[in-house]
Amino acid sequence: MTSMPGQPVTAVVQRIEIQKLRQADNLILGFSIGGGIDQDPGQNPFSKDKTDKGIYVTRITPEGPAHEAGLRMGDKILQVNGWDMTMMTHDQARKRLTKKNEDVVRLLVTRKSLEEAVKQSMGSGPRQEHCGTPSNHKLMH
Amino acid sequence: MQSPTVMEAGDEVLHSLPVMEMGDVFQVLEVCETVEEIREVIVTTIEEDSNTNSPPVTSSGAGTKPSQDDNWGETTTAVTGTSEHSLSQEDIVRITKDLEDSVGLDCRRYFTLTLAVILGLLVFLTPLAFLVLPHLLWPEKLQSCGTACEGLFISVAFKLLILLLAVWALFFRQPRAGLPRVFVFRALLTVLVLLFVVSYWLFYGVRILDSQDENYQGIVQYAVSLVDALLFIHYLAIVLLELRQLQPCFSVCVTRSTDGEMRHYNLGQLSIQRAALAILEHYYCDFPVHNPALLSASKSRAAKHLAGLKVYNVDGEFPAGPAEGPGNNAAAGLAHSQSRAMIAAAARRRDTSHNELYYEEAEHERRVRKRKARLVVAVEEAFTHIKRMQEEEQKKAPGDVMDPREAAQAIFPSMARALQKYLRTTKQQHCHSMESIQQHLAFCITNNMTPKAFLESYLTPGPTLQYSRDHWLARQWTLSSEASVTSGLKDGTVFLLKCVDFSLVVTTKKIPYIQMSEEYIDPKSHKFVLRLQSETSV
């Protein structure tokens, strides 16, 4: 995952689809986000590069919709329903995730363990690259 | 001793040897005996000499019987400083030095004093002479003095008064010291003033006295210009002598050679002798007093190191007798190899003197602290025995009233022993005499000082000036330097100030040239933002 401004970001991503849960008057997803281009990147405990101003998952409600969908703490959210999240302010990101007319959010997230898994599978042989890669792990450009 | 009569031819040579040896042995024995007798004689003469100086010790035994020499070791005498007619080496040096400077310096001081007085008189009387001489020499030709001219008289009078006060303030002060060389700036100024006055006199003599000028106002203005110029020369003197060295330019590091006490001072642009004078004045005020008793420990350790190894020449290579080229080299080479062997052996030897030093120092520290505790308690207790008498009580009981000196003498015995023991442990006992301690005690009592205040001057060694005059050790210092002593201080100048017991090593470092640039900060440019770190749950 490079973080050169203006350069395309290369990452191994996972698609996660979360169904929003209705709780009283709100639709909740069950996780908390941190980060954003208006925030201080040095205080992010999950980012590898301390200048990374992306949106990260900081907490997951256990047994919530996000946890069941496969989201984990420390994931970096790259897209929400097709909208790019890498250059967003914190408030803009919150708004994208909490649209009242959407029931489902489809996220593209990345985490360190994904890259390592791809490396391991690539290292064990070139053939497995074509058929061994799981369908929801894609190399994204 | 008779040789055996039955001898074979071949054995003659062999058997003759033992005879010769035994005969030789007998002769050797005789030689020894005579030597012993000679030794005895020498011993007795030494004893006779020493008997005049010191009281006779138990040494009469060896003098009576020449054949007994087991007392020889006990009867050797050494020159001690205990008799009233003996002088130690230090005293001799000090006396000769005192003689030298009491004669030499006074001569020079009187010479400079007379020169200064003559110059001063010349300077002050010259304007007055300029004004008075026309009236004496050609009074009838002289124009009368008008208003402007008389106004100038007042100006001359006041300027002369100011000049007199200024010269008194700058030059008529107690000399602080006698320096080895002439003070260059003062000499230059003296020459300048002399030249100046002489040139004015020349002009006056040629143009005014010879031609007998009638314009008296011109003459008065001439005298006023002289006094003005003298005031400007005085201004020059202030700048050269006083102002120039005020700005610090050099940082000097002064180290005492015996115990390494170091101080740093800032000096301006001075000549080496003036810098040395300033440093010595600081020395008397800042450096703790020199205590030779504290150096004996390291000297004894050094002596032990030297005495540890001795070199014996087993192979018998004696150097050639006369000191010729090759012979000398052999001797030098031998000494060199001997010293190298000593150094190598000393390095290999397992020296435990560091261990001794450590434990000795720890023990000494404990002892000092114990004695100090006893001393503090004794002094505090002693101070509780007296109290200041109030005014009302003074009328009541005039019996037992004491003045401070008597009060000090009354309480001194209770603390004397503890104080003496403490001073002995810290090796300061020669710095304080009984009289000085009692005086100090009376002083503290008079000024309502606490026991702790009284003790402070004994717990830490103070600067040299605080002690009595005979501890100032030397007022005669020798300045030794490689550069001329009237040259200015430069970066890296090193010179020594030697006195009888120690020397001060002075090194100079120049304060660097500082290049400063400016940076303007707009007061409105101070802006701050919060470091945000929000976490929102969705």
Side-chain angles (χ1 to χ4, degrees), chain A residues 30-33 39-40 43 58 90, chain B residues 530-538:
Chain A
F31 64 97
S32 303
I33 53 165
Q39 305 284 313
D40 180 25
Q43 309 212 21
T58 52
H90 188 88
Chain B
L530 283 177
R531 289 173 90 174
L532 296 172
Q533 196 210 342
S534 347
E535 197 186 332
T536 344
S537 53
V538 291

Side-chain angles (χ1 to χ4, degrees), chain B residues 58-96:
Chain B
T58 53
S59 54
S60 49
T64 50
K65 292 169 195 165
S67 55
Q68 253 185 15
D69 66 327
D70 39 350
N71 287 334
W72 187 79
E74 292 174 356
T75 56
T76 49
T77 55
V79 175
T80 59
T82 52
S83 74
E84 59 266 30
H85 300 296
S86 73
L87 288 174
S88 72
Q89 186 63 24
E90 280 181 10
D91 291 337
I92 292 173
V93 170
R94 205 170 296 166
I95 286 171
T96 50

Side-chain angles (χ1 to χ4, degrees), chain B residues 315-490:
Chain B
D315 296 332
E317 295 164 357
F318 295 109
E324 296 168 5
N328 219 7
N329 282 345
L334 193 66
H336 192 57
S337 65
Q338 269 185 4
S339 55
R340 266 193 285 148
M342 269 184 86
I343 293 172
R348 260 182 266 126
R349 172 177 66 163
R350 279 158 130 250
D351 197 358
T352 52
S353 53
H354 58 272
N355 224 6
E356 289 165 22
L357 174 64
Y358 170 71
Y359 283 112
E360 204 179 287
E361 280 197 348
E363 182 60 37
H364 178 77
E365 185 104 351
R366 262 194 60 240
R367 225 181 303 141
V368 164
R369 270 199 237 136
K370 222 176 19 173
R371 293 260 163 100
K372 181 177 164 189
R374 289 206 187 127
L375 174 64
V376 166
V377 165
V379 169
E380 282 173 359
E381 207 208 309
F383 267 66
T384 57
H385 291 317
I386 52 164
K387 77 172 176 102
R388 189 172 270 271
M389 200 173 70
Q390 303 302 320
E391 288 295 325
E392 316 80 58
E393 296 172 7
Q394 227 168 31
K395 299 160 198 159
K396 281 195 262 179
D400 229 346
V401 175
M402 297 183 283
D403 69 350
R405 200 175 150 67
E406 287 163 8
Q409 277 172 346
I411 61 173
F412 181 64
S414 57
M415 69 167 90
R417 196 147 174 269
L419 184 60
Q420 200 178 46
K421 278 194 165 170
Y422 179 80
L423 289 179
R424 276 236 175 100
T425 316
T426 53
K427 301 204 178 91
Q428 281 178 307
Q429 71 270 21
H430 60 91
C431 298
H432 306 276
S433 65
M434 286 289 191
E435 184 56 43
S436 76
I437 298 176
Q438 280 183 349
Q439 258 178 0
H440 185 238
L441 185 55
F443 174 77
C444 290
I445 294 174
T446 320
N447 294 311
N448 296 324
M449 290 196 192
T450 58
K452 190 165 192 288
F454 162 71
L455 273 181
E456 261 322 293
S457 66
Y458 302 110
L459 296 178
T460 48
T464 316
L465 279 180
Q466 299 296 340
Y467 295 87
S468 58
R469 269 176 195 259
D470 43 316
H471 281 103
W472 293 7
L473 288 174
R475 258 91 55 76
Q476 171 76 6
W477 293 83
T478 309
L479 169 60
S480 77
S481 107
E482 290 161 17
S484 155
V485 298
T486 47
S487 66
L489 279 180
K490 287 192 205 35

Side-chain angles (χ1 to χ4, degrees), chain B residues 311-322:
Chain B
V311 179
Y312 289 98
N313 220 337
V314 182
D315 296 332
E317 295 164 357
F318 295 109

